[in-house]
Amino acid sequence: MNKNKLTALLSVMCVLLCALVLFCACSGDNTTTETNAADETNAATDAATGENATTTESTPAASTPAESTPVESTPADSTPADSTPADGKIAYTITVVDGEGNPVAGVDVQMCSADGTCLLPVKTGDDGVAVFNQEKAEYYVTIASAPEGFVADETKHYFDGDATTMSITLLKSDEGSADASEEPTEEPTEEPTEEPTEEPTEAPTEPEKYPVWDADKAVVTHQSFDQLYKGNGSADDATNGGLNLFTPGQSAGWDKIADLTAGDVTTLTYWGWVGVKGEIGQFGYMIDDNAPIYNAEWIFSNPGEDLMPHCPAGTDNATRMKITIDLADLIGEHTVRVLYKNADGAEVTLGLFTVKLPVPPVVYVANDAITVVTPALQVIENVYPAGGYDEWDKTFTIKVGETGGYWDMGWIAINTDVYEFGYRFGGASPLNNGADFFPGPAYTVAATAEQIAAAQEMGATTAAAFLCACAEAALGVGENHVQVLVKLNNDPNQVYVLRDYTVILEA
């Protein structure tokens, strides 16, 4: 009996224990379910607020700055532009990247002004950026040299409008070769049909004979155009009041016109230095379309070793130059082209500018004829030989009673109107004791349209013609010194001698 009660009690306890275990298990399931529901609620909240989006995208974002560094470096490197009130210059920022947008370090970047004057190259840093602090002007950018593994870029890159930043993409060597493999399929079909029709018209033009030095940099790799002196560039010139035509280092802002109308200059000196391919050649210049003038002495003493570090890759030699340009006997406007010629005879233009020189009142005298006439004014002969006035010995002879005298005819190129022509005698029997003989407008004749056009081509404003009639009776037996004269409206008291010769009157 006791045994049965014990068994029953144990059974009840087992039932209670199982119920307790079952209750606990159910409570644990409820806790897990509540936690998962909370997680789902939080996830939905995060998705709505976007908090996890930032975290989720943080991995791609880390790589984005590396790709966009060339773009973001522009404002960072343009900080010097904030200093413009202090030095008046602008930070021109150039970023060099590869085909995938990654910055390229070690690139020699060169910035040049519109006239071809180039600054010293600047290497890009690890961020692919090069900065030039310069006055505001029109510039273009070239790649002086590219690091190993990249294709050389000889393109001139221009800033867009008023922009002061640009990005240049360099192709890797394998990318360049892939492009090259495609071009031969296009060029052979185009060149034979197009080139022959264009080249005959372009080949004779002057720019192809004297191309600007940086057109391809095959002859001259770099030029620094430092100064243009009035005079020969000597110490005396520098002492006489700063005779350089532009502020040193600022040739880019020069208007390329040398105004020398004050009349105090007969020579100019072009001063600077160049880097070249091959051995150093010769420097020279040409005026208008005249033949070039070269002189070995215009290679200035410095051998150039100190200049080579400032030259782009591919430069073999460097030297300074000091070119003296002779302007004597020139009037009006002329074009001056400064040249460099290498050992192979290739010529390139280093500089091109205009000189304006003073124009005198009487620019030119045309000696048409001195004609001996009969008393009835019939022409006997022109005393000039076949070679004309320039080969004449300025002497001729007439006999008493055989002529009525002679006519002296010609025209002049001038920059004002004629007041009057005249002549005077001297020698054995002077007229009026050598005083001027001006009969008023009697010796002035109308210039032809051809004479006026010729005068204007010389730089004068107009032309005037003369016919001076000299009677035999005005001459004395023996030698007579004759001068043909003119007075101009701008100063009637000033007498200009047009002719000077001797007439021998034989008895």
Side-chain angles (χ1 to χ4, degrees):
M1 185 67 177
N2 290 335
K3 184 177 179 181
N4 292 335
K5 289 182 178 181
L6 181 60
T7 302
L9 180 61
L10 290 173
S11 299
V12 171
M13 290 178 66
C14 288
V15 170
L16 293 175
L17 182 61
C18 290
L20 179 61
V21 170
L22 181 61
F23 177 80
C24 291
C26 291
S27 299
D29 289 343
N30 291 337
T31 303
T32 303
T33 303
E34 290 172 3
T35 302
N36 291 341
D39 290 342
E40 291 173 3
T41 303
N42 292 338
T45 304
D46 291 345
T49 60
E51 291 178 0
N52 280 346
T54 303
T55 305
T56 303
E57 294 179 17
S58 62
T59 301
S63 63
T64 303
E67 295 177 357
S68 61
T69 299
V71 178
E72 295 183 357
S73 66
T74 302
D77 290 337
S78 64
T79 304
D82 296 337
S83 64
T84 49
D87 58 11
K89 295 183 178 180
I90 295 174
Y92 289 88
T93 305
I94 298 92
T95 302
V96 183
V97 297
D98 62 20
E100 299 175 356
N102 299 312
V104 181
V107 181
D108 285 321
V109 179
Q110 192 162 41
M111 191 167 77
C112 308
S113 59
D115 69 337
T117 302
C118 297
L119 302 170
L120 294 178
V122 174
K123 283 188 182 295
T124 58
D126 293 339
D127 57 359
V129 173
V131 178
F132 295 84
N133 291 310
Q134 291 297 315
E135 301 290 342
K136 184 175 181 181
E138 183 181 351
Y139 298 102
Y140 64 86
V141 175
T142 61
I143 301 300
S145 64
E148 186 176 356
F150 288 86
V151 179
D153 180 3
E154 298 181 354
T155 306
K156 292 182 180 179
H157 302 272
Y158 290 84
F159 291 93
D160 291 334
D162 294 329
T164 59
T165 63
M166 73 164 62
S167 179
I168 298 174
T169 300
L170 283 186
L171 294 178
K172 293 182 179 179
S173 298
D174 53 349
E175 296 172 356
S177 61
D179 291 342
S181 64
E182 297 175 6
E183 289 194 24
T185 59
E186 298 177 2
E187 289 190 6
T189 58
E190 294 179 1
E191 285 190 9
T193 57
E194 295 182 4
E195 293 288 336
T197 59
E198 296 178 1
E199 283 192 6
T201 58
E202 296 178 359
T205 61
E206 185 177 335
E208 291 198 1
K209 182 172 178 57
Y210 305 107
V212 178
W213 69 271
D214 62 348
D216 58 11
K217 297 185 179 180
V219 177
V220 173
T221 61
H222 177 82
Q223 180 193 199
S224 178
F225 174 25
D226 297 338
Q227 294 175 336
L228 186 67
Y229 280 107
K230 293 180 180 180
N232 61 11
S234 68
D236 290 340
D237 288 330
T239 303
N240 292 335
L243 300 179
N244 186 19
L245 289 179
F246 52 81
T247 303
Q250 296 300 317
S251 62
W254 183 43
D255 62 3
K256 308 302 180 298
I257 297 175
D259 189 346
L260 310 175
T261 52
D264 58 343
V265 177
T266 57
T267 59
L268 290 176
T269 297
Y270 188 98
W271 164 267
W273 65 273
V274 295
V276 300
K277 297 270 192 180
E279 297 299 319
I280 294 172
Q282 289 184 302
F283 295 98
Y285 70 92
M286 62 184 290
I287 295 178
D288 300 327
D289 295 325
N290 296 308
I293 299 172
Y294 288 96
N295 191 327
E297 295 181 0
W298 292 336
I299 298 176
F300 194 55
S301 59
N302 192 300
E305 286 86 350
D306 62 329
L307 304 175
M308 286 297 292
H310 305 296
C311 294
T315 302
D316 298 317
N317 286 287
T319 183
R320 300 184 189 278
M321 74 282 199
K322 187 176 180 183
I323 305 167
T324 302
I325 301 167
D326 185 8
L327 303 175
D329 300 326
L330 295 179
I331 64 171
E333 287 193 13
H334 297 274
T335 299
V336 178
R337 186 183 295 272
V338 180
L339 301 169
Y340 173 80
K341 180 170 66 173
N342 67 10
D344 296 328
E347 297 170 292
V348 294
T349 298
L350 298 179
L352 186 66
F353 57 91
T354 298
V355 292
K356 291 184 176 181
L357 298 162
V359 179
V362 178
V363 175
Y364 171 76
V365 179
N367 304 288
D368 292 343
I370 294 180
T371 305
V372 179
V373 296
T374 66
L377 303 183
Q378 300 296 316
V379 174
I380 297 176
E381 66 171 336
N382 178 17
V383 301
Y384 295 166
Y389 180 84
D390 291 337
E391 296 185 13
W392 180 43
D393 63 4
K394 311 303 184 287
T395 301
F396 69 98
T397 301
I398 59 176
K399 290 186 177 182
V400 175
E402 293 185 359
T403 70
Y406 65 90
W407 295 334
D408 193 329
M409 295 173 287
W411 62 274
I412 58 176
I414 50 178
N415 286 302
T416 185
D417 293 328
V418 167
Y419 184 74
E420 60 183 342
F421 288 102
Y423 65 88
R424 66 183 173 191
F425 292 136
S429 179
L431 177 67
N432 297 333
N433 296 317
D436 295 348
F437 178 64
F438 284 94
Y443 293 159
T444 304
V445 296
T448 65
E450 290 78 8
Q451 291 167 347
I452 294 174
Q456 291 173 342
E457 287 182 5
M458 300 173 194
T461 58
T462 189
F466 60 88
L467 193 161
C468 295
C470 178
E472 180 188 306
L475 301 172
V477 176
E479 292 187 354
N480 296 267
H481 182 202
V482 181
Q483 291 179 320
V484 178
L485 314 169
V486 70
K487 292 180 180 179
L488 303 175
N489 274 343
N490 65 330
D491 185 3
N493 294 319
Q494 174 68 49
V495 177
Y496 296 93
V497 177
L498 305 180
R499 301 242 219 265
D500 198 323
Y501 52 87
T502 298
V503 180
I504 301 173
L505 181 61
E506 291 184 348

PDB file of all heavy atoms in Angstrom, residues 61 84 111 143 208 286 310 318 378 387 425:
ATOM      1  N   ALA A  61      32.582  54.100 -51.689  1.00  0.00           N
ATOM      2  CA  ALA A  61      32.961  55.520 -51.527  1.00  0.00           C
ATOM      3  C   ALA A  61      34.440  55.654 -51.282  1.00  0.00           C
ATOM      4  O   ALA A  61      35.046  56.643 -51.640  1.00  0.00           O
ATOM      5  CB  ALA A  61      32.161  56.135 -50.382  1.00  0.00           C
ATOM      6  N   THR A  84      45.592  86.508 -55.260  1.00  0.00           N
ATOM      7  CA  THR A  84      45.673  87.455 -56.362  1.00  0.00           C
ATOM      8  C   THR A  84      45.756  88.904 -55.922  1.00  0.00           C
ATOM      9  O   THR A  84      46.434  89.689 -56.564  1.00  0.00           O
ATOM     10  CB  THR A  84      44.478  87.265 -57.317  1.00  0.00           C
ATOM     11  OG1 THR A  84      43.268  87.219 -56.552  1.00  0.00           O
ATOM     12  CG2 THR A  84      44.631  85.977 -58.090  1.00  0.00           C
ATOM     13  N   MET A 111      53.498  75.455 -69.941  1.00  0.00           N
ATOM     14  CA  MET A 111      52.451  76.407 -70.323  1.00  0.00           C
ATOM     15  C   MET A 111      53.073  77.530 -71.140  1.00  0.00           C
ATOM     16  O   MET A 111      54.118  78.070 -70.779  1.00  0.00           O
ATOM     17  CB  MET A 111      51.761  76.988 -69.082  1.00  0.00           C
ATOM     18  CG  MET A 111      50.493  77.773 -69.408  1.00  0.00           C
ATOM     19  SD  MET A 111      49.486  78.146 -67.967  1.00  0.00           S
ATOM     20  CE  MET A 111      50.418  79.502 -67.257  1.00  0.00           C
ATOM     21  N   ILE A 143      52.498  68.876 -73.217  1.00  0.00           N
ATOM     22  CA  ILE A 143      53.218  67.905 -72.400  1.00  0.00           C
ATOM     23  C   ILE A 143      54.646  67.842 -72.929  1.00  0.00           C
ATOM     24  O   ILE A 143      54.896  67.361 -74.034  1.00  0.00           O
ATOM     25  CB  ILE A 143      52.554  66.521 -72.463  1.00  0.00           C
ATOM     26  CG1 ILE A 143      51.105  66.604 -71.987  1.00  0.00           C
ATOM     27  CG2 ILE A 143      53.340  65.519 -71.631  1.00  0.00           C
ATOM     28  CD1 ILE A 143      50.934  67.099 -70.568  1.00  0.00           C
ATOM     29  N   GLU A 208      55.204  77.636 -94.274  1.00  0.00           N
ATOM     30  CA  GLU A 208      55.803  76.322 -94.405  1.00  0.00           C
ATOM     31  C   GLU A 208      57.317  76.408 -94.538  1.00  0.00           C
ATOM     32  O   GLU A 208      58.020  75.505 -94.147  1.00  0.00           O
ATOM     33  CB  GLU A 208      55.201  75.591 -95.607  1.00  0.00           C
ATOM     34  CG  GLU A 208      53.740  75.202 -95.391  1.00  0.00           C
ATOM     35  CD  GLU A 208      53.286  74.137 -96.359  1.00  0.00           C
ATOM     36  OE1 GLU A 208      54.101  73.690 -97.186  1.00  0.00           O
ATOM     37  OE2 GLU A 208      52.114  73.759 -96.294  1.00  0.00           O
ATOM     38  N   MET A 286      65.068  88.232 -90.967  1.00  0.00           N
ATOM     39  CA  MET A 286      64.746  88.716 -92.299  1.00  0.00           C
ATOM     40  C   MET A 286      63.727  89.836 -92.157  1.00  0.00           C
ATOM     41  O   MET A 286      62.905  89.837 -91.235  1.00  0.00           O
ATOM     42  CB  MET A 286      64.224  87.601 -93.198  1.00  0.00           C
ATOM     43  CG  MET A 286      62.944  86.956 -92.745  1.00  0.00           C
ATOM     44  SD  MET A 286      62.440  85.559 -93.795  1.00  0.00           S
ATOM     45  CE  MET A 286      61.965  86.409 -95.302  1.00  0.00           C
ATOM     46  N   HIS A 310      66.478  73.158 -67.687  1.00  0.00           N
ATOM     47  CA  HIS A 310      65.193  73.820 -67.903  1.00  0.00           C
ATOM     48  C   HIS A 310      64.558  73.443 -69.245  1.00  0.00           C
ATOM     49  O   HIS A 310      63.506  73.979 -69.589  1.00  0.00           O
ATOM     50  CB  HIS A 310      65.383  75.339 -67.834  1.00  0.00           C
ATOM     51  CG  HIS A 310      66.016  75.814 -66.563  1.00  0.00           C
ATOM     52  ND1 HIS A 310      65.417  75.674 -65.335  1.00  0.00           N
ATOM     53  CD2 HIS A 310      67.214  76.400 -66.338  1.00  0.00           C
ATOM     54  CE1 HIS A 310      66.204  76.164 -64.398  1.00  0.00           C
ATOM     55  NE2 HIS A 310      67.298  76.606 -64.973  1.00  0.00           N
ATOM     56  N   ALA A 318      71.680  73.602 -75.687  1.00  0.00           N
ATOM     57  CA  ALA A 318      71.011  74.868 -75.385  1.00  0.00           C
ATOM     58  C   ALA A 318      72.031  75.996 -75.460  1.00  0.00           C
ATOM     59  O   ALA A 318      73.224  75.785 -75.204  1.00  0.00           O
ATOM     60  CB  ALA A 318      70.364  74.837 -74.000  1.00  0.00           C
ATOM     61  N   GLN A 378      62.592 121.677-129.587  1.00  0.00           N
ATOM     62  CA  GLN A 378      62.551 120.314-130.094  1.00  0.00           C
ATOM     63  C   GLN A 378      63.588 119.478-129.340  1.00  0.00           C
ATOM     64  O   GLN A 378      64.713 119.939-129.119  1.00  0.00           O
ATOM     65  CB  GLN A 378      62.843 120.280-131.600  1.00  0.00           C
ATOM     66  CG  GLN A 378      61.843 121.079-132.426  1.00  0.00           C
ATOM     67  CD  GLN A 378      60.441 120.498-132.347  1.00  0.00           C
ATOM     68  OE1 GLN A 378      60.266 119.292-132.442  1.00  0.00           O
ATOM     69  NE2 GLN A 378      59.450 121.363-132.175  1.00  0.00           N
ATOM     70  N   GLY A 387      72.054 103.252-118.742  1.00  0.00           N
ATOM     71  CA  GLY A 387      71.816 102.814-117.365  1.00  0.00           C
ATOM     72  C   GLY A 387      71.016 103.795-116.541  1.00  0.00           C
ATOM     73  O   GLY A 387      70.665 103.499-115.399  1.00  0.00           O
ATOM     74  N   PHE A 425      71.939 128.213-109.738  1.00  0.00           N
ATOM     75  CA  PHE A 425      73.212 128.023-110.426  1.00  0.00           C
ATOM     76  C   PHE A 425      74.356 128.475-109.526  1.00  0.00           C
ATOM     77  O   PHE A 425      74.208 129.349-108.686  1.00  0.00           O
ATOM     78  CB  PHE A 425      73.264 128.846-111.715  1.00  0.00           C
ATOM     79  CG  PHE A 425      72.316 128.378-112.775  1.00  0.00           C
ATOM     80  CD1 PHE A 425      71.567 129.298-113.494  1.00  0.00           C
ATOM     81  CD2 PHE A 425      72.180 127.040-113.059  1.00  0.00           C
ATOM     82  CE1 PHE A 425      70.698 128.890-114.475  1.00  0.00           C
ATOM     83  CE2 PHE A 425      71.308 126.620-114.041  1.00  0.00           C
ATOM     84  CZ  PHE A 425      70.562 127.541-114.754  1.00  0.00           C
TER      85      PHE A 425
END
